[in-house]
Amino acid sequence: MPKIVDHEERRRALAEALWRVIAESGPMAVSIRSVAAEAGLSTGALRHYFQTRDDLLAFALDLSEARVIERMREHSETFDPRAPMVDRVLGFAEQMMPLDETRRAEYRAWEATGDPGFLDPRLEDRWHRQRSLYRRLVAALADLPPLEDPTRIQSDPWLETWSEYLHTFVDGISLQLMTNPEQITPEVARTRLRAFLAHIESQSARGRDRG
């Protein structure tokens, strides 16, 4: 009888192999051959799921986004609703930062977006999904009602500006975590992020010009 292949199990195995390649050697090392070898498969077997290197890297980004969403869901189910809003928001924002080995591998996958040879047609959509998260976090710090469509530029200039600042801050501290881990440790990064969130909250408390 022909062997029955569990395709979901095979995709999970390929995903794990892909993350190992990225974690050990970076996204530039990703290829059909390297991932197939890491997974213990032939290149022909891997091409049944992914035809090109770009397909593999796009899959890595999909996995990264899915993991972030899952961690945020878990945080939303476990945080203390009586905790200060800054601490609650911190628990969401830090899921985007490379604070442990899993998230460092995820960050390295995003490094591939700087490769001029990698063309991800969904890259702009991914960026807008990230910005929508920061808009929701800033709105929570400012005690604003839920945003109707956080993927769009908001009519509140204060909200839009501080969402951009927070997005830039998290990207910057994440890069420092990767490039200068002796100086910027996870503890330092969390402390600085919390201080920045508290600053946003304090700016909101002083009132906003909604133009």
Side-chain angles (χ1 to χ4, degrees):
M1 291 181 61
K3 183 178 179 180
I4 298 176
V5 177
D6 185 329
H7 293 290
E8 282 305 310
E9 182 178 347
R10 177 64 58 81
R11 286 180 70 86
R12 286 194 295 270
L14 288 171
E16 291 169 1
L18 174 61
W19 282 119
R20 288 195 297 272
V21 170
I22 290 174
E24 294 169 7
S25 305
M28 299 306 109
V30 169
S31 68
I32 296 293
R33 185 181 300 276
S34 66
V35 176
E38 182 66 33
L41 298 173
S42 68
T43 57
L46 186 144
R47 286 186 188 278
H48 180 74
Y49 300 91
F50 304 103
Q51 290 293 314
T52 67
R53 176 177 180 268
D54 280 5
D55 291 341
L56 280 168
L57 290 171
F59 181 59
L61 295 181
D62 289 342
L63 284 173
S64 175
E65 289 190 73
R67 287 181 173 189
V68 169
I69 292 170
E70 177 61 20
R71 288 196 299 268
M72 289 183 175
R73 184 191 64 76
E74 292 174 354
H75 174 66
S76 69
E77 293 176 352
T78 59
F79 71 72
D80 183 352
R82 297 167 298 179
M85 180 57 72
V86 166
D87 291 333
R88 284 183 271 169
V89 170
L90 174 65
F92 287 104
E94 68 179 14
Q95 303 308 327
M96 302 288 289
M97 297 164 56
L99 295 171
D100 54 33
E101 287 307 312
T102 295
R103 283 175 277 185
R104 287 176 69 86
E106 292 170 1
Y107 185 92
R108 299 203 74 180
W110 281 94
E111 290 176 354
T113 62
D115 179 1
F118 173 45
L119 299 176
D120 180 6
R122 293 176 292 166
L123 189 58
E124 185 175 354
D125 290 338
R126 296 182 197 278
W127 185 92
H128 283 295
R129 284 195 293 272
Q130 287 188 5
R131 179 56 62 85
S132 70
L133 166 67
Y134 294 114
R135 290 188 180 109
R136 288 194 292 265
L137 296 181
V138 171
L141 289 170
D143 196 25
L144 295 174
L147 303 179
E148 183 174 341
D149 184 359
T151 64
R152 295 182 177 276
I153 294 175
Q154 302 298 297
S155 60
D156 182 340
W158 183 94
L159 172 61
E160 192 63 26
T161 296
W162 282 99
S163 300
E164 178 181 351
Y165 289 167
L166 180 57
H167 194 166
T168 302
F169 183 92
V170 173
D171 281 356
I173 200 73
S174 295
L175 178 61
Q176 292 182 50
L177 273 162
M178 296 295 292
T179 59
N180 192 11
E182 292 185 1
Q183 294 293 322
I184 308 299
T185 65
E187 292 73 21
V188 169
R190 283 192 180 96
T191 298
R192 291 185 179 177
L193 177 57
R194 191 186 190 285
F196 191 68
L197 295 174
H199 179 69
I200 296 174
E201 185 179 53
S202 71
Q203 292 299 306
S204 172
R206 293 175 185 173
R208 300 182 300 277
D209 178 10
R210 295 184 176 276

